[in-house]
Amino acid sequence: MCTCASILRELEKVCFTSNLCITFSTTTGARIQEGTDSLAGYADIFQRNVDASGVIPQISVVMGPCARGAVYSPAMTDFIFMVDDTSYMFVTGPEVVKTVTNETVTKEELGGASVHAGGKSGVSHGSYPNDVATLRAMRTLLDYLPSSNDASTLPVRPVTDDPKRSVPSLDRLVPDDPNMPYDMKDIVREVLDHGSMFEIQPEHAKNIVTAFGRMEGRTVGIVGNNPIVLAGCLDIGASEKSARFVRFCDCFNIPIVTFVDVPGFLPGTGQEHGGIIRHGAKLLFAFAEATVPKITVISRKAYGGAYDVMSSKHLRGDANYAWPGAEIAVMGAKGAVEIIFRGKDVEKHTAEYTDRFANPMVAAQRGYIDDVIEPHDTRRIICDDLRLLRSKKVDTIPRKHSNIPL
């Protein structure tokens, strides 16, 4: 109970003074002998986590066991870091699991870093081989974050990478074959200052990239479909991962730059039964609700509802661009032709459909794209827009709060 009281005092202090909060968690849960007093202490901490949410960034570093009710405090913070082989997070331990379900499972298999940061649960935002590497990663992340939701606390670094720098390599990064994969992170690194970025949840939902970087010395949030995994399709994991990231950026006045190459939502009964409609709506809601500067670049494909979801002009995107080879359509040429012409003269009609729709010009004519830009000019144009949008203000509808489809 004394531990809970100390934590409460510190949480209140950092919240009232608008200072970022870092919590180091190692606990096996409530003390049985303290009864409901320990449970009350937990709930008081949870309430302070909620009070601080969106006011100050909260980071949890789990460097040992974190079990039972205690896991919910890190779970409500913005970022969780874990240490490989020594960090565990679970609500019920292996002994309880064995008793209730007759499953034999180790702590690592149940809630280790390989589970939470390795692509299964998505609870953790990163794991590292030892304590020192974990602390270094945390300090790197801190370098990108403001201390509170006051925009004046956003870090600004000296501009040592020319914002007008041309990037000729971008002209060659996207393959001519629309079915050939490439790594979106290569594009992101070329655009950011010095090619430096800090990726969030790099091992979870790899078909989308979420990362912090800098442009002209100022922090930006990056969201990008990654065609090298699942062709860049949006699925349940990718939608949740990126929606959470977008909402964090919006809370703390961090501009969002979105790179789009998405053929649609991942099809299949697993996705439909898992609730892709509800989960995909989270990302749609997050982008639509965000009032920070939003800049979008379509590098290749933007098909169907996924085009709308990925920070389109219709979701109040501030600047939306497409590269010359981009395709913005309801669906790909082959699939569209097979539906429209019922499999007749597929090759002929595919060529006609491609010439007419597989380009950004139709969207540009209707004002859905602000400009068709050369890839090598992308960095310069984004930097110019970010500079212009620093004073952006949005009038919002008065309400208690929105109701995101959780």
Side-chain angles (χ1 to χ4, degrees):
M1 191 61 189
C2 292
T3 303
C4 290
S6 300
I7 295 172
L8 287 171
R9 284 196 298 272
E10 292 304 315
L11 283 172
E12 289 176 351
K13 186 187 300 182
V14 295
C15 193
F16 289 137
T17 57
S18 297
N19 284 309
L20 182 147
C21 177
I22 303 169
T23 304
F24 294 89
S25 298
T26 301
T27 174
T28 54
R31 291 179 179 175
I32 297 173
Q33 64 270 29
E34 291 187 1
T36 54
D37 286 343
S38 59
L39 300 179
Y42 277 161
D44 289 338
I45 292 174
F46 302 157
Q47 182 62 58
R48 297 305 186 279
N49 288 134
V50 173
D51 291 342
S53 180
V55 179
I56 55 172
Q58 299 178 80
I59 301 173
S60 294
V61 183
V62 180
M63 307 185 79
C66 186
R68 301 178 180 85
V71 297
Y72 289 113
S73 179
M76 286 190 290
T77 59
D78 299 304
F79 302 102
I80 302 173
F81 289 161
M82 299 180 73
V83 183
D84 293 340
D85 302 322
T86 60
S87 297
Y88 311 106
M89 292 179 69
F90 39 70
V91 177
T92 54
E95 297 83 3
V96 177
V97 171
K98 174 68 174 176
T99 301
V100 176
T101 68
N102 204 32
E103 292 180 83
T104 301
V105 64
T106 65
K107 291 180 179 179
E108 180 64 31
E109 294 169 339
L110 184 61
S114 61
V115 172
H116 295 313
K120 293 182 181 178
S121 74
V123 168
S124 175
H125 297 83
S127 67
Y128 302 89
N130 53 57
D131 293 355
V132 174
T134 304
L135 293 175
R136 284 177 177 165
M138 180 198 69
R139 293 181 67 177
T140 302
L141 174 61
L142 290 177
D143 209 31
Y144 291 99
L145 302 183
S147 60
S148 74
N149 59 3
D150 184 343
S152 66
T153 66
L154 280 165
V156 180
R157 299 289 176 261
V159 180
T160 55
D161 190 353
D162 186 2
K164 298 186 181 300
R165 169 171 58 85
S166 179
V167 191
S169 59
L170 291 181
D171 295 331
R172 305 183 297 272
L173 272 178
V174 178
D176 293 331
D177 183 351
N179 297 316
M180 183 72 69
Y182 64 94
D183 194 342
M184 184 62 80
K185 285 185 273 191
D186 292 337
I187 290 178
V188 172
R189 289 190 184 97
E190 292 293 334
V191 171
L192 294 174
D193 289 359
H194 302 292
S196 178
M197 69 177 189
F198 185 86
E199 192 171 356
I200 302 299
Q201 293 185 302
E203 299 301 319
H204 179 65
K206 294 182 180 181
N207 45 323
I208 201 159
V209 177
T210 53
F212 292 110
R214 290 191 186 88
M215 299 199 73
E216 207 170 351
R218 296 171 183 265
T219 301
V220 294
I222 300 292
V223 179
N225 310 108
N226 199 347
I228 205 168
V229 180
L230 296 177
C233 281
L234 288 174
D235 62 359
I236 292 172
S239 298
E240 288 195 322
K241 169 183 171 179
S242 47
R244 174 75 171 169
F245 181 78
V246 168
R247 284 173 67 83
F248 175 85
C249 290
D250 191 42
C251 281
F252 295 101
N253 306 294
I254 299 172
I256 302 167
V257 180
T258 306
F259 292 90
V260 181
D261 188 346
V262 60
F265 284 91
L266 185 66
T269 56
Q271 290 292 306
E272 296 294 347
H273 296 174
I276 184 59
I277 296 172
R278 176 168 52 87
H279 294 291
K282 294 177 184 177
L283 180 55
L284 171 61
F285 198 105
F287 270 126
E289 188 181 42
T291 59
V292 293
K294 295 183 287 188
I295 299 172
T296 302
V297 178
I298 301 174
S299 60
R300 189 164 63 176
K301 299 175 186 172
Y303 289 162
Y307 153 73
D308 287 326
V309 169
M310 292 298 296
S311 195
S312 63
K313 196 70 174 176
H314 322 285
L315 303 184
R316 296 180 184 167
D318 296 297
N320 293 66
Y321 301 108
W323 288 358
E327 302 175 16
I328 305 170
V330 175
M331 61 192 307
K334 186 176 179 181
V337 166
E338 288 178 351
I339 292 173
I340 296 170
F341 299 99
R342 301 183 181 278
K344 297 177 182 178
D345 298 325
V346 173
E347 290 187 8
K348 173 189 172 184
H349 292 304
T350 298
E352 292 175 353
Y353 185 96
T354 301
D355 290 339
R356 184 173 179 184
F357 296 109
N359 61 72
M361 297 308 172
V362 175
Q365 289 168 3
R366 287 165 170 74
Y368 305 151
I369 295 295
D370 292 304
D371 199 1
V372 178
I373 64 174
E374 293 298 329
H376 61 260
D377 288 330
T378 303
R379 172 178 165 82
R380 174 183 61 79
I381 290 171
I382 293 176
C383 285
D384 288 345
D385 285 336
L386 288 172
R387 201 178 307 119
L388 181 67
L389 291 166
R390 284 176 195 166
S391 58
K392 175 185 175 181
K393 295 186 184 300
V394 177
D395 293 328
T396 56
I397 300 171
R399 56 185 167 189
K400 185 175 182 181
H401 60 74
S402 58
N403 187 20
I404 188 170
L406 296 174

